[in-house]
Amino acid sequence: EYRKVMFFLPLVARNTARKLFAHLHFLNTMAHANKMNAENLASVWAPTIMPAALTSQTLQTAWSAKEQYVVRDLIANYEEIWEPTEAETRREAAIRRVLMRVLSNTAPAPPKAAGDLRAWIYVNDRNTCHQIALTPNKTCSDVCIELCEKAQTESHLLMIEEVICNESMRRIVHKDEVVLDVVLQWSYWDEEDRKENYLMIKNNKLLHDIAGSHKIEEWLVKDILWYIGHEPKRNPQSRWAITFIPKKNKQKRSKDRPWFGVTIAGAVTEDQVKWMTALMHAEHTDVLPTPRLVIT
């Protein structure tokens, strides 16, 4: 019946329909690659090929289902309805071979799972070390929670110290800092300044002293890192020192700049605590971690 109807179409309409359904039939034969079988193609093309001029919503829905059924049959039974010539069949086969070759060459390789960066962190002293995975979102607090059992201390009573330059300087890592960022920044430093660096998790008594101190002043510290101590060759002859370096674009050591960052020093330990208090409060809103509620 479909063949008779197509035969009685005007010449232009018949030739147009033949070309259109030849193309749709070809897409149907490639459904394994394009996910467009006759059913899917009919749902897309039927409203265009056989638009319904009905005002009733009920009739419109019923007609839509029927037109999809007809278009699906015209696509699936193209060869029986139109009887393609041998030349058309050969051309279609040639196109299919080219497409299959292209698809096989451009198929994406299966993604490889990326492993987490793993790092060693000392616990309480240099005698005990544990390896942890550093993910892009793992903060200092997360690491303290992960290692609190190893440290035999509640997580909110722990802190991480970043120790650099052959243990001459150390910095308290804030609870919200991403530990991976702390480790990765070392890669931008000179080899001499990073080769003996490490992280240590320990009791945060010093942090509690800082949090409990009186805030006396504010400094803009968003662009710097600060470390307790100084490199040995500075030798400021003082009880304490704090060294500052820029977070980004740290200058390499040179003949004109032989030092690691900039250092301030003092003789009174109380002054050191005041400096640390001001720096910590200027950089972070919260200093101490929040105790966890552990249900046993």
Side-chain angles (χ1 to χ4, degrees), residues 165-166 168-169 190 192-193 229-237 253-255 257-261 263:
C165 293
N166 294 310
S168 61
M169 287 176 277
D190 294 314
E192 178 186 352
D193 299 329
H230 59 84
E231 56 184 332
K233 62 182 181 181
R234 279 188 185 273
N235 193 20
Q237 300 294 325
R253 291 179 187 263
S254 64
K255 185 176 181 180
R257 292 179 174 273
W259 310 110
F260 184 88
T263 300

Side-chain angles (χ1 to χ4, degrees), residues 147-160:
L147 294 179
C148 64
E149 291 186 6
K150 305 293 184 183
Q152 298 181 348
T153 306
E154 292 293 330
S155 61
H156 70 282
L157 299 177
L158 295 172
M159 69 178 185
I160 292 179

Side-chain angles (χ1 to χ4, degrees), residues 24 27-32 34-43 72 75:
L24 296 179
L27 294 178
N28 177 46
T29 63
M30 297 292 293
H32 61 282
N34 59 30
K35 311 300 181 186
M36 293 300 290
N37 56 22
E39 192 79 33
N40 293 337
L41 289 167
S43 65
R72 183 200 63 189
I75 295 172

Side-chain angles (χ1 to χ4, degrees), residues 79-108:
E79 294 180 348
E80 290 78 8
I81 297 172
W82 297 101
E83 295 182 347
T85 64
E86 184 178 350
E88 290 174 332
T89 303
R90 286 200 305 270
R91 183 168 60 251
E92 182 179 298
I95 295 173
R96 184 179 292 104
R97 285 195 300 272
V98 172
L99 285 177
M100 293 303 297
R101 186 162 59 248
V102 171
L103 290 173
S104 63
N105 291 337
T106 59

Side-chain angles (χ1 to χ4, degrees), residues 235-287:
N235 193 20
Q237 300 294 325
S238 61
R239 289 181 177 271
W240 62 269
I242 298 177
T243 299
F244 303 88
I245 66 167
K247 286 184 177 179
K248 298 180 180 179
N249 302 321
K250 177 185 174 297
Q251 292 183 337
K252 299 287 186 180
R253 291 179 187 263
S254 64
K255 185 176 181 180
D256 296 330
R257 292 179 174 273
W259 310 110
F260 184 88
V262 178
T263 300
I264 60 172
V268 182
T269 304
E270 183 181 351
D271 291 341
Q272 180 189 23
V273 175
K274 289 180 179 179
W275 268 97
M276 294 170 61
T277 300
L279 290 168
M280 187 69 75
H281 281 290
E283 190 173 5
H284 304 288
T285 303
D286 298 322
V287 176

Side-chain angles (χ1 to χ4, degrees), residues 135-145 155 158-160 171-182 207 247 280 283-290:
T135 61
N137 298 316
K138 183 175 286 188
T139 64
C140 173
S141 292
D142 296 329
V143 175
C144 290
I145 292 172
S155 61
L158 295 172
M159 69 178 185
I160 292 179
R171 177 178 77 93
I172 300 172
V173 180
H174 187 262
K175 64 184 182 68
D176 294 330
E177 279 191 69
V178 176
V179 180
L180 179 61
D181 293 343
V182 175
L207 198 59
K247 286 184 177 179
M280 187 69 75
E283 190 173 5
H284 304 288
T285 303
D286 298 322
V287 176
L288 292 175
T290 304

Side-chain angles (χ1 to χ4, degrees), residues 34-235:
N34 59 30
K35 311 300 181 186
M36 293 300 290
N37 56 22
E39 192 79 33
N40 293 337
L41 289 167
S43 65
V44 174
W45 281 91
T48 301
I49 297 173
M50 302 177 65
L54 301 174
T55 57
S56 169
Q57 184 65 36
T58 302
L59 293 176
Q60 181 93 25
T61 303
W63 179 260
S64 178
K66 291 179 180 179
E67 68 185 15
Q68 288 186 33
Y69 180 84
V70 171
V71 172
R72 183 200 63 189
D73 278 357
L74 291 173
I75 295 172
N77 301 298
Y78 166 79
E79 294 180 348
E80 290 78 8
I81 297 172
W82 297 101
E83 295 182 347
T85 64
E86 184 178 350
E88 290 174 332
T89 303
R90 286 200 305 270
R91 183 168 60 251
E92 182 179 298
I95 295 173
R96 184 179 292 104
R97 285 195 300 272
V98 172
L99 285 177
M100 293 303 297
R101 186 162 59 248
V102 171
L103 290 173
S104 63
N105 291 337
T106 59
K112 296 181 179 179
D116 294 328
L117 177 66
R118 305 190 71 83
W120 292 95
I121 295 185
Y122 290 103
V123 178
N124 293 326
D125 54 42
R126 293 294 298 274
N127 298 321
T128 307
C129 194
H130 293 279
Q131 190 182 72
I132 64 169
L134 296 182
T135 61
N137 298 316
K138 183 175 286 188
T139 64
C140 173
S141 292
D142 296 329
V143 175
C144 290
I145 292 172
E146 185 174 340
L147 294 179
C148 64
E149 291 186 6
K150 305 293 184 183
Q152 298 181 348
T153 306
E154 292 293 330
S155 61
H156 70 282
L157 299 177
L158 295 172
M159 69 178 185
I160 292 179
E161 271 193 344
E162 177 192 1
V163 184
I164 65 171
C165 293
N166 294 310
E167 300 187 332
S168 61
M169 287 176 277
R170 58 190 64 232
R171 177 178 77 93
I172 300 172
V173 180
H174 187 262
K175 64 184 182 68
D176 294 330
E177 279 191 69
V178 176
V179 180
L180 179 61
D181 293 343
V182 175
V183 174
L184 290 180
Q185 75 175 345
W186 297 341
S187 63
Y188 297 100
W189 297 0
D190 294 314
E191 175 66 22
E192 178 186 352
D193 299 329
R194 68 171 184 258
K195 62 182 179 181
E196 298 295 336
N197 297 355
Y198 63 86
L199 299 175
M200 178 180 290
I201 189 169
K202 59 192 295 187
N203 187 281
N204 63 6
K205 182 179 182 303
L206 178 60
L207 198 59
H208 278 272
D209 291 341
I210 293 174
S213 300
H214 179 60
K215 182 177 177 181
I216 59 174
E217 189 55 87
E218 288 187 356
W219 287 268
L220 183 62
V221 294
K222 65 178 183 178
D223 298 326
I224 62 172
L225 294 173
W226 54 277
Y227 296 84
I228 303 168
H230 59 84
E231 56 184 332
K233 62 182 181 181
R234 279 188 185 273
N235 193 20

